[in-house]
Amino acid sequence: MKEFLIPMHFTFMISGVVLMLVAAFLAAPKKEGWFPLHKTLAGTGAVAATVGFISIFSLKQKMNYPHFASPHAVSGLTVLITIALVIILGTLAISGKKAARPFHIWIGRIIAVLLFLMVVSGIFRFVEIFQR
């Protein structure tokens, strides 16, 4: 099972990060027709990241490993919670609550920084685990 869940975690997390970053860059220039693709890519990225999270959570559960015991795990949970918040704010913004839009934009930018930190901490965690 371990042989399946670890690559699943990598694949879905990398996919989620790439999709969400592309969605963010699409929104920046505000060219005609950007919004449907932004929404689709961001939503798909959030789902991919959630599946990646569930895969590693399941592995830790099956192996009786502690949850949220590393900076990478804590930052990953923080990013997922923040992604949920930005989705809620984006939904509010498109439903007429214009005051939510600036928060959606700024928290989205913060997510980009958090994603970078999470990836870096994940690389360090990967190296740490496989040096044992």
Side-chain angles (χ1 to χ4, degrees):
M1 188 61 129
K2 178 179 177 181
E3 296 79 26
F4 175 71
L5 290 173
I6 291 175
M8 185 177 173
H9 175 71
F10 289 146
T11 302
F12 278 95
M13 283 301 190
I14 290 168
S15 299
V17 168
V18 169
L19 287 166
M20 286 184 279
L21 289 175
V22 170
F25 286 116
L26 276 175
K30 299 256 185 345
K31 296 198 180 203
E32 189 68 31
W34 67 272
F35 182 70
L37 189 56
H38 168 77
K39 195 166 78 170
T40 300
L41 290 175
T44 305
V47 169
T50 302
V51 171
F53 173 83
I54 291 168
S55 68
I56 206 68
F57 189 90
S58 299
L59 174 68
K60 287 184 172 195
Q61 195 71 28
K62 290 179 187 313
M63 306 289 288
N64 291 319
Y65 292 159
H67 295 286
F68 312 113
S70 71
H72 177 67
V74 172
S75 66
L77 180 61
T78 303
V79 167
L80 277 181
I81 291 168
T82 310
I83 288 169
L85 176 62
V86 88
I87 289 171
I88 291 166
L89 289 167
T91 302
L92 288 171
I94 62 174
S95 69
K97 309 278 191 284
K98 299 296 181 195
R101 189 168 181 273
F103 293 103
H104 171 77
I105 292 167
W106 277 101
I107 293 173
R109 291 174 181 163
I110 290 168
I111 288 172
V113 173
L114 292 174
L115 286 171
F116 174 76
L117 295 173
M118 182 187 65
V119 168
V120 169
S121 67
I123 292 167
F124 284 123
R125 183 71 177 149
F126 181 80
V127 170
E128 175 189 348
I129 288 171
F130 287 99
Q131 281 185 344
R132 294 181 194 171

